[in-house]
Structures are given as C-alpha cells and as structure tokens.
Amino acid sequence: MTMDIQTKQQHVETTMRLAPVIPVVIIEDARHAVPMARALVAGGIPAIEVTLRTSAALDAIRAIAQEVEDAVVGVGTVLTAKDLEAAEKAGARFAVSPGVSPKLLAAADDSALPLLPGVATASEAMALLERGYRHLKFFPAVPAGGVKLLGAWASPLPQIRFCPTGGIAAATAKDFLSLSNVLCVGGSWLTPNDMLQSGDWAAIEQLAREAAALRG
C-alpha cells in the first residue's frame, strides 16, 4: 500500500533525525556491505545511503536489509522509476535523488519508498514544497553555496528542513549542523574506499563514533 506524501515525509524526517550524519556509500564489493553496516551501526550511525553508482549497490542494499537488523538502509543516486522499483525490491527503506524530474516525482508518488529529493536553488525547493515535500537534500552543498546560502533560506523557507550533501567533510559538518534548518548532513568520509577495500571496520566504526558525536 502506497503511503501519502505526508506519511512518507514523516518517515524521511525520522530517518534524518537518527544521527547527525547519513553516510553516502559507494561500494564496489557487495561482500563488504554487511561488516561495513555493522561498523556504522556500532558507532551510532544507523541510517546508511548506498548509492547506485556501482553494479554492487543493489546486492549491498539487499544484504544490509536482510542481515543488519538495526541498520536503516537507503538508496542514493536515484534517477528513474526503475531505480526506485529495484531499490524497493532490494529492501531499501528510503530513497535519495541528486535532483528531481517530473517522471521521477510521478514514480515517487506511486512508490512505497519515501523520497529525499535533491535541490540546489530556492525555486526548486519551492516547487517541491508545493508538492508536499518539507524535507530536502541540498546538493551539491558546498559548490551550490554552502552554509551561507542554506542559512539564507531559513527565513523565507521556514517550513523546509535540509540534509546538505556534497563537499562536506568531518571538519566542516558542524558548520552545517549549527543551522536551524539542517537536521543532518550527508557525507562520504565515513566509508573511504581504502578502508572498505582493506576491511578496516574498526576504523570505520571510529569514524562513525566521531560523526555521531557531532551534535553532542
């Protein structure tokens, strides 16, 4: 049964409030998915965005959904209706897109997956607000205007809460998290490729702990 947009947005908000950071994961080997997810969860980061940028992504989502009970696994880099359908079948619990198109929004209306859509301008944010989206991804956060632009939107767009993603690092995440209209940030620094390839799950867990403490 497909939820209405308000219910889906409540699910998105709940996911955004789980931790200060949602890891944006590019995974090359699905065998790394479960130990990576367990390390992130152990470090206090339960929501995980696995991007559809590799052929291993859907298998990774499926494995995490089946084997890591406390993880809330989502799908990123969603571009089409087929992406939404495949991710939902794999067990994803939320979807994230870099931007939006009329076809993608129509597919999201018909999908059970709650969508966190990407925007880079106030006009895009207003258009999504008209459709009932109050929780948005600001992407690419740093190139698009960073903390200053997002902070400037807080007064004219008080209904919207953001997850800025793109160019954010551990050292700059707090600057975004201090904004009144930011619930969390997205970042790839929690799961660097070298740690995934070497299986350094302890190091990933430590990065997760540091990220989970950012709002402390």
Side-chain angles (χ1 to χ4, degrees):
M1 181 178 176
T2 302
M3 298 175 281
D4 61 27
I5 184 65
Q6 289 80 13
T7 305
K8 289 178 183 175
Q9 282 288 285
Q10 288 170 3
H11 282 273
V12 170
E13 180 179 3
T14 299
T15 301
M16 290 170 71
R17 290 186 181 277
L18 287 173
V21 183
I22 296 178
V24 179
V25 181
I26 301 172
I27 194 157
E28 302 284 351
D29 187 340
R31 292 175 297 180
H32 296 153
V34 168
M36 173 204 69
R38 287 178 176 152
L40 290 169
V41 170
I45 302 290
I48 304 166
E49 175 191 337
V50 178
T51 63
L52 293 179
R53 301 182 195 179
T54 68
S55 58
L58 288 172
D59 286 338
I61 291 167
R62 189 175 296 109
I64 295 169
Q66 291 175 353
E67 298 184 45
V68 189
E69 183 179 354
D70 294 327
V72 179
V73 64
V75 58
T77 322
V78 170
L79 306 178
T80 67
K82 285 186 177 179
D83 291 342
L84 279 176
E85 183 181 1
E88 185 179 345
K89 286 182 178 177
R93 292 167 60 180
F94 66 96
V96 185
S97 61
V100 292
S101 69
K103 286 186 177 180
L104 180 61
L105 289 175
D109 288 342
D110 295 332
S111 172
L113 269 187
L115 177 65
L116 177 64
V119 300
T121 68
S123 295
E124 292 170 347
M126 288 169 60
L128 283 167
L129 187 61
E130 287 180 355
R131 294 185 67 115
Y133 286 89
R134 296 174 296 104
H135 297 87
L136 306 176
K137 170 182 174 177
F138 176 47
F139 178 82
V142 173
V147 172
K148 287 187 177 181
L149 180 60
L150 203 48
W153 286 352
S155 182
L157 299 170
Q159 311 95 321
I160 302 177
R161 295 294 177 269
F162 292 93
C163 174
T165 305
I168 300 174
T172 57
K174 268 200 168 182
D175 297 334
F176 286 92
L177 290 167
S178 68
L179 297 174
S180 62
N181 56 348
V182 169
L183 293 185
C184 64
V185 302
S188 58
W189 79 86
L190 280 76
T191 56
N193 186 58
D194 59 337
M195 291 184 187
L196 290 175
Q197 295 302 323
S198 65
D200 194 347
W201 314 125
I204 288 177
E205 181 178 339
Q206 180 57 34
L207 289 174
R209 288 189 188 283
E210 294 166 3
L214 282 171
R215 198 179 274 128

